[in-house]
């Protein structure tokens, strides 16, 4: 800039700085905070439940599901906990949008996830964080030792940073999502709310005193986007 100005060239700085920072937020977070950019995502019923304790329940509509898969295509990695992996048996890949699928991550302290679960099979890579690592005979599967103590999340994020994972999408369940919120380890939350009521089940995580960035209707679902203050 100094050389340009020395040659008489007019230079204006800071153009669209806010917009540029938003576009590059994942990269800037990894540089400044030494951890991936963390996006929390969950779908909840009108009365504040995200699912059942013992069976998979569909809450969001097909348009919202397609949008979620778009978000997956934009994320480096995606994370769930043991209960979600066992009860919902998710694939955690991108099937309904263009682009790649994220690296699949799961927290499984005691290796409770069945061997035939989607997460442990198929062509997509999965990392299992556990206190009981073992050698895998599958090319897509890796067991990573981790202490499930008070520093669990920070230890995992530190490992992901070392592996150059730039963004992490956390899809559940409720306990895992709330642990990220309580530890103040998140940057953005995208909540899909349906018109249906469940009356009982797993309570949705609680976000309070945070800035609403966007509210949008997705057919009969409502998308609310929060940014961490």
């Amino acid at each position: 800039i100094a050389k340009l100005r020395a040659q008489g060239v007019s230079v204006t700085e800071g153009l669209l700085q806010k917009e540029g920072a938003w576009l590059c937020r994942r990269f800037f977070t990894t540089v400044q905070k030494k951890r991936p950019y963390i996006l929390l995502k969950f779908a909840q019923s009108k009365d504040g439940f995200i699912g059942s304790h013992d069976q998979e329940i569909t809450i969001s509509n097909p348009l919202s599901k397609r949008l979620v898969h778009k978000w997956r295509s934009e994320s480096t990695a995606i994370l769930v906990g043991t209960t979600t992996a066992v009860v919902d048996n998710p694939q955690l890949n991108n099937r309904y949008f263009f682009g790649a699928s994220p690296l699949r991550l799961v927290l499984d302290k005691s290796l409770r996830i069945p061997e035939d679960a989607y997460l442990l099979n198929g062509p997509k890579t999965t990392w299992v964080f556990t206190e009981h690592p073992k050698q895998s005979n599958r090319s897509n599967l890796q067991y990573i030792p981790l202490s499930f103590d008070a520093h669990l999340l920070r230890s995992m994020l530190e490992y992901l940073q070392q592996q150059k994972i730039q963004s992490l999408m956390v899809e559940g369940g409720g306990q895992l999502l709330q642990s990220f919120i309580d530890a103040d380890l998140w940057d953005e939350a995208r909540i899909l709310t349906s018109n249906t009521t469940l009356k009982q089940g797993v309570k949705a995580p609680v976000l309070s005193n945070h800035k609403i960035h966007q509210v949008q209707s997705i057919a009969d679902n409502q998308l609310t986007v929060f940014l961490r203050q």
Side-chain angles (χ1 to χ4, degrees):
I1 291 173
K3 289 182 178 180
L4 287 170
R5 285 175 172 160
Q7 297 300 316
V9 178
S10 176
V11 179
T12 302
E13 300 178 61
L15 294 175
L16 299 177
Q17 185 172 357
K18 181 179 178 181
E19 292 80 357
W22 176 253
L23 287 174
C24 299
R25 62 192 182 281
R26 293 171 176 84
F27 171 72
F28 287 167
T29 298
T30 61
V31 173
Q32 296 169 354
K33 298 184 179 180
K34 307 301 180 185
R35 63 162 174 78
Y37 183 89
I38 300 172
L39 166 63
L40 308 181
K41 171 269 165 184
F42 60 91
Q44 64 180 4
S45 62
K46 190 175 182 180
D47 52 349
F49 294 95
I50 65 170
S52 169
H53 290 287
D54 54 10
Q55 63 179 333
E56 182 183 8
I57 294 179
T58 299
I59 296 177
S60 53
N61 64 39
L63 284 175
S64 293
K65 182 175 289 188
R66 182 171 172 83
L67 180 61
V68 169
H69 282 238
K70 177 180 182 294
W71 298 341
R72 289 180 179 180
S73 74
E74 298 166 346
S75 301
T76 312
I78 185 169
L79 172 72
V80 294
T82 309
T83 301
T84 297
V86 172
V87 175
D88 294 351
N89 193 21
Q91 298 184 55
L92 297 188
N93 56 17
N94 170 27
R95 304 184 300 281
Y96 305 131
F97 204 77
F98 308 99
S101 292
L103 170 67
R104 303 181 299 185
L105 311 176
V106 59
L107 293 168
D108 188 8
K109 179 180 179 179
S110 303
L111 298 182
R112 289 174 44 215
I113 300 174
E115 288 290 325
D116 60 351
Y118 283 128
L119 276 179
L120 306 186
N121 296 277
K124 303 303 178 184
T125 301
T126 299
W127 291 354
V128 180
F129 293 96
T130 178
E131 282 195 335
H132 304 280
K134 62 180 182 179
Q135 190 68 33
S136 172
N137 58 4
R138 305 176 189 178
S139 59
N140 73 309
L141 186 59
Q142 181 178 348
Y143 292 93
I144 300 168
L146 199 64
S147 296
F148 279 58
D149 54 19
H151 306 290
L152 168 63
L153 295 184
R154 294 188 183 276
S155 298
M156 181 190 66
L157 293 174
E158 181 179 348
Y159 179 83
L160 295 179
Q161 170 74 3
Q162 293 170 356
Q163 301 303 312
K164 303 187 185 305
I165 303 301
Q166 196 172 98
S167 59
L168 175 65
M169 183 174 174
V170 183
E171 278 216 22
Q175 183 177 348
L176 180 61
L177 287 160
Q178 193 65 56
S179 67
F180 274 91
I181 295 170
D182 293 344
D184 204 25
L185 289 172
W186 64 284
D187 301 287
E188 185 177 351
R190 299 176 185 175
I191 304 170
L192 290 159
T193 304
S194 73
N195 284 328
T196 59
T197 56
L198 295 181
K199 298 182 180 179
Q200 61 181 354
V202 180
K203 290 291 292 182
V206 178
L207 277 169
S208 58
N209 300 322
H210 291 287
K211 178 183 178 182
I212 295 180
H213 175 69
Q214 179 186 10
V215 178
Q216 179 183 355
S217 294
I218 312 294
D220 60 346
N221 289 174
Q222 177 178 284
L223 169 63
T224 306
V225 179
F226 290 87
L227 299 181
R228 188 175 64 83
Q229 295 282 36

